Amino acid sequence: MSRLVEIQQQFMQYLLSDEGNDDHEQIKSVMQANVSNQAGISSDIRLAIYANAYRIRLKETIETDHEMLGLYLGDDLFDKMASDYTRTYPSSEKSLRQFCDALPEFLQQDEFFKQHPIIADLALFERRLLNVFDAADSHRASVSELQALAPEHWPSCCLRFHPSVQIFTCNSNAVEAWQALKIDKAPPAPNYLSPRAWLLWRGESRLTEFTSLSEEQYALLFGFIQGHNFASQCEEMLNWHDEQSAPLMVLQTLNLWFQQGLIRAVVSNSTDFTAPTLGSL
């Protein structure tokens, strides 16, 4: 290990250690030997300034990425979350865009925050919104591409979705709480009575949009995302509709998806398809 790498690692240990404990004081004394006094400012003060600036910058990143979560928690709990998260998941990328990726997992596992699952759900919903906004651009198919398929290819046709399309599921009313906070209203009390599903995407106007999904809408969308074809999805809809109305419901929903810009391509087979995992949506 080079001397530079060793000093960099020691400096990171200093930044992440808790002020006042033995480890912090020990690594601080090591770092002071590598930091010179400058312009009348001691090495001790220079180290403290940098450490404070580092923590403040990471906290600002959490505040920016998770504005509604911050409002939901309030200042004291947010400060606790930011401090504990930064200590548990220190920044390891050059860009801060990924710094909060593990925040939902942290909130699900932390002994204090996991007592209130809606908090982790709020964090995950806001991560989904960021992923939708940052997703790549691509072609958006029109319903004419579906209509152009020969009749014999309709049963086997599959859909490819725009990269921004995401599914968010939870067992709380986290999205309802997010919506209330967004318009400066008090969030509703946590509710865990039933599972919920939401579709998120970025429209052609580049605005991030989302809408709730019923059980049948979720099954239809998730099935198509997994690579199931038109025939199998019509069969799936028989759980909610009769044989005459199931195909009509599927066609009406597909037409809406085309209008919303959710679909990037229509293909007549799925031999080249690898289904994404739910965690990547």
Side-chain angles (χ1 to χ4, degrees):
M1 180 188 300
S2 70
R3 179 58 179 154
L4 175 60
V5 172
E6 182 181 4
I7 292 174
Q8 289 174 332
Q9 291 181 351
Q10 290 171 342
F11 193 36
M12 183 56 69
Q13 291 173 10
Y14 166 74
L15 293 176
L16 297 176
S17 61
D18 291 327
E19 188 173 355
N21 64 31
D22 292 340
D23 289 341
H24 178 83
E25 294 304 318
Q26 182 179 1
I27 195 65
K28 178 180 175 180
S29 64
V30 172
M31 288 307 306
Q32 284 176 324
N34 295 295
V35 177
S36 62
N37 299 333
Q38 189 175 46
I41 303 176
S42 68
S43 61
D44 187 27
I45 293 176
R46 293 183 67 201
L47 282 168
I49 290 172
Y50 196 97
N52 289 335
Y54 174 79
R55 292 187 176 91
I56 289 171
R57 183 68 185 93
L58 293 182
K59 180 183 175 183
E60 288 175 346
T61 299
I62 303 174
E63 289 176 335
T64 300
D65 286 0
H66 294 280
E67 182 180 2
M68 297 306 114
L69 175 62
L71 291 175
Y72 189 86
L73 290 174
D75 292 342
D76 291 343
L77 283 180
F78 182 84
D79 287 347
K80 171 180 170 54
M81 179 193 72
S83 177
D84 293 350
Y85 177 71
T86 301
R87 188 182 306 107
T88 308
Y89 291 92
S91 178
S92 59
E93 304 288 341
K94 292 182 179 180
S95 170
L96 288 176
R97 170 60 180 84
Q98 292 80 34
F99 174 59
C100 297
D101 282 352
L103 184 59
E105 179 182 356
F106 166 78
L107 294 170
Q108 289 170 350
Q109 297 177 349
D110 180 81
E111 288 300 320
F112 176 80
F113 289 106
K114 73 179 184 180
Q115 300 174 71
H116 310 282
I118 191 173
I119 297 174
D121 290 341
L122 267 169
L124 183 55
F125 180 66
E126 290 189 310
R127 297 314 294 169
R128 289 279 194 267
L129 290 173
L130 283 169
N131 292 338
V132 168
F133 182 80
D134 289 345
D137 287 324
S138 77
H139 168 75
R140 297 179 195 264
S142 67
V143 69
S144 61
E145 295 181 39
L146 178 64
Q147 295 168 339
L149 286 179
E152 62 270 20
H153 292 313
W154 272 69
S156 64
C157 79
C158 301
L159 306 177
R160 303 290 182 266
F161 289 85
H162 190 271
S164 68
V165 171
Q166 301 265 314
I167 292 178
F168 172 69
T169 59
C170 65
N171 291 311
S172 72
N173 55 340
V175 177
E176 292 85 349
W178 186 94
Q179 290 173 307
L181 291 165
K182 191 70 174 176
I183 57 175
D184 296 324
K185 290 187 175 181
N191 181 310
Y192 304 101
L193 295 180
S194 61
R196 297 164 173 84
W198 298 79
L199 162 65
L200 299 82
W201 77 101
R202 190 181 67 238
E204 294 189 72
S205 62
R206 299 198 60 79
L207 293 176
T208 300
E209 304 181 53
F210 58 90
T211 186
S212 62
L213 297 171
S214 66
E215 184 180 3
E216 63 183 284
Q217 290 170 332
Y218 171 80
L220 184 63
L221 176 62
F222 187 66
F224 272 119
I225 287 175
Q226 289 294 99
H228 300 169
N229 60 32
F230 183 86
S232 66
Q233 289 305 92
C234 287
E235 184 176 355
E236 175 72 14
M237 290 301 101
L238 293 176
N239 290 313
W240 293 274
H241 301 271
D242 59 35
E243 293 184 0
Q244 286 72 40
S245 60
L248 179 61
M249 180 270 179
V250 175
L251 284 172
Q252 290 174 336
T253 304
L254 262 60
N255 186 57
L256 176 61
W257 291 349
F258 281 113
Q259 293 176 19
Q260 293 171 325
L262 304 184
I263 301 170
R264 64 176 173 84
V266 179
V267 296
S268 58
N269 64 74
S270 58
T271 57
D272 63 339
F273 179 71
T274 301
T277 63
L278 182 58
S280 69
L281 295 175

